Amino acid sequence: MLALRLTRVAHPAVHLRRLLVATAAAGTGFLLLSALGYALAHPGNPTGALLRLSWCAIPLAATVYFAVAVARTDPGTRPRPGLSAFGLGPARLMAIAALNTGLACVLGSLLALLVFLHLRGDLTGMPFDGAAKDFLAADRSLPLPAALTLLTVPPVLASAAVALTLRPRDLPHPAGRRAYGRFGAYGTGTPGETFGAYGRFGARLFKRPTRPADADAADDGAQASPQDTPSAPQDVPVTAEDQVPAPPVPTQPPTGLPWGIAVLAAGLAVESYAGTTEATPRTTLPGGLVVGPAGVLAGWSLTALGLVLAAPGLTHLCGRLLQTARPGARRLLAGRVLMAEATRIGRPLGVVCAVASAAFAADTLYGYDGAAPAFGPLTALGGLVVAGCTVATLLTAAVEARQSRADTTEALLRLGAPATVLRGAAALRAGALLALFGPLTLLIADLAALPLAP
């Protein structure tokens, strides 16, 4: 009951993000059911049905990725002091997060089933009854076990991904190895003495007890008279509230930049080779959009993976460049935040750039051909799910980064920092990322579409 209460009394923004997860799951579920409807309507074309089902993997991956990002930002699943006494430890909170994600995806899958049955004409009494009878094989009976099996894929995968991401991790021992004392007592071992130190004459008899340095300073101050030090400044104690927790700067940048550049170059090379040598027919999307040979698709996949791997390092580079040439407070704060949040923001940003480069490459390709692409309803729905999930994941990662530095922001405001400086630093971070990743996305899109140019 306590877990349900924590879920129910969440912030409206949290419920909005869960609703977006349900919407994404509904779109993905409808695509899966549409592949089933195509298989029922074309029993003699199993290859086309399998192709449509395989293309559903991209919206499914985007939905699962977005669900994990939403679960990470849920404040109700964060370990807090006192919750373990109620049985809500890290493992139980992880289970609650996976359960919430599964329920949101199940809600979306049920909505997709209702819309699918409504468009087939199985459900009546609402507008657009049976509007897609020919498209969804309304003349054939729907195998309910197959439909339910397809609809369970998004909730199961999303819940498993959330449980894997939020699983409790045991912290390593600070000393790097276990220390054992007498009779195997854990953590009570002390450094051993050198040979002969214990039996040295007077080592135990005349040993002077050690005193902390602050006690000696206090004694010296007590013996000195106030007339001896009339002008000595007194130290003002600094409390924890007066200290400003600056954003931590990682000592080393993310290690994925060289690998990302290598994979990106390999993807472009595969695209160029496949576009000039392959004579296989072009692969077609369910909506009729032609995307080229299979080798070009493999090259695009490698290019997208390279962008995702290189994005954290490029984000860290943006933060370092902002702090060059005698930076002020605004540039210094913006650069420190980018360097500290390079991995958290860089990965979703790389996914957005990969999706945008694929869209620009397709548009550039059809600009070469001089014909407008034949976007079908399923292609538009799949593109909307993928683009919406990637952009929403990036925004969710920005919310998570803002929550992680909430203590720093509160400390700066408490010490009198103007809010315009914080807003200016945020705008500076967004401008720096846009200035770097915008031209990079357009360049990669042009290079990706160049092998298929006439």
Side-chain angles (χ1 to χ4, degrees):
M1 295 300 295
L2 180 59
L4 293 177
R5 181 173 297 181
L6 290 176
T7 304
R8 181 176 57 86
V9 300
H11 196 270
V14 178
H15 290 299
L16 178 60
R17 290 194 289 266
R18 293 171 182 170
L19 184 61
L20 291 178
V21 171
T23 305
T28 304
F30 186 82
L31 290 175
L32 292 172
L33 292 177
S34 299
L36 178 61
Y38 182 85
L40 293 176
H42 303 81
N45 188 16
T47 304
L50 183 61
L51 178 62
R52 287 172 175 264
L53 186 62
S54 63
W55 276 112
C56 296
I58 300 177
L60 180 61
T63 302
V64 172
Y65 189 51
F66 178 49
V68 171
V70 170
R72 287 171 56 93
T73 57
D74 193 348
T77 58
R78 293 181 180 178
R80 286 169 289 179
L83 289 182
S84 297
F86 295 95
L88 293 178
R92 185 66 62 84
L93 292 177
M94 178 267 296
I96 293 175
L99 180 61
N100 291 336
T101 303
L103 290 178
C105 293
V106 166
L107 178 62
S109 298
L110 292 178
L111 179 62
L113 180 60
L114 292 178
V115 174
F116 181 78
L117 294 177
H118 170 61
L119 293 179
R120 275 173 50 94
D122 298 335
L123 298 179
T124 58
M126 294 181 293
F128 305 103
D129 290 335
K133 290 182 178 181
D134 300 333
F135 182 68
L136 300 178
D139 55 340
R140 297 178 180 270
S141 62
L142 180 67
L144 189 59
L148 294 181
T149 301
L150 290 176
L151 290 178
T152 54
V153 173
V156 170
L157 290 183
S159 300
V162 169
L164 183 63
T165 304
L166 301 182
R167 69 186 186 278
R169 296 177 176 85
D170 294 332
L171 298 177
H173 194 264
R177 61 182 180 87
R178 292 184 177 180
Y180 296 91
R182 291 184 179 88
F183 303 104
Y186 177 78
T188 58
T190 56
E193 297 177 344
T194 58
F195 178 76
Y198 184 84
R200 189 178 296 116
F201 178 76
R204 301 293 173 184
L205 184 60
F206 302 103
K207 185 177 181 180
R208 182 179 179 181
T210 59
R211 302 183 63 189
D214 54 354
D216 296 336
D219 292 344
D220 295 339
Q223 293 177 3
S225 60
Q227 290 81 8
D228 296 336
T229 57
S231 60
Q234 298 180 357
D235 296 334
V236 179
V238 180
T239 60
E241 296 180 355
D242 296 333
Q243 298 178 357
V244 180
V249 180
T251 57
Q252 296 180 355
T255 58
L257 183 58
W259 291 102
I261 294 176
V263 174
L264 183 62
L268 293 176
V270 169
E271 291 176 16
S272 301
Y273 180 77
T276 56
T277 60
E278 284 194 14
T280 57
R282 293 187 172 186
T283 306
T284 307
L285 283 171
L289 179 63
V290 179
V291 295
V296 175
L297 292 178
W300 281 5
S301 302
L302 289 177
T303 303
L305 180 60
L307 276 174
V308 175
L309 292 177
L314 294 177
T315 305
H316 188 276
L317 180 61
C318 281
R320 187 174 293 275
L321 291 178
L322 282 177
Q323 301 178 69
T324 57
R326 302 177 64 180
R330 185 178 289 105
R331 282 201 296 147
L332 185 62
L333 182 60
R336 288 289 183 91
V337 171
L338 278 183
M339 292 176 66
E341 304 293 340
T343 303
R344 183 176 297 169
I345 299 179
R347 290 176 181 174
L349 185 59
V351 175
V352 171
C353 291
V355 174
S357 64
F360 281 123
D363 183 73
T364 305
L365 174 62
Y366 280 93
Y368 289 144
D369 294 342
F375 287 108
L378 294 182
T379 304
L381 178 61
L384 182 61
V385 170
V386 173
C389 287
T390 52
V391 174
T393 302
L394 179 59
L395 296 178
T396 306
V399 172
E400 183 183 4
R402 182 180 180 181
Q403 292 175 355
S404 65
R405 61 175 186 271
D407 296 337
T408 303
T409 304
E410 293 178 0
L412 290 174
L413 293 177
R414 185 172 58 250
L415 293 178
T420 55
V421 174
L422 301 179
R423 289 194 293 265
L428 192 59
R429 291 194 300 270
L433 293 177
L434 184 61
L436 178 63
F437 284 94
L440 179 64
T441 302
L442 294 177
L443 177 62
I444 293 177
D446 289 338
L447 292 177
L450 188 62
L452 298 179

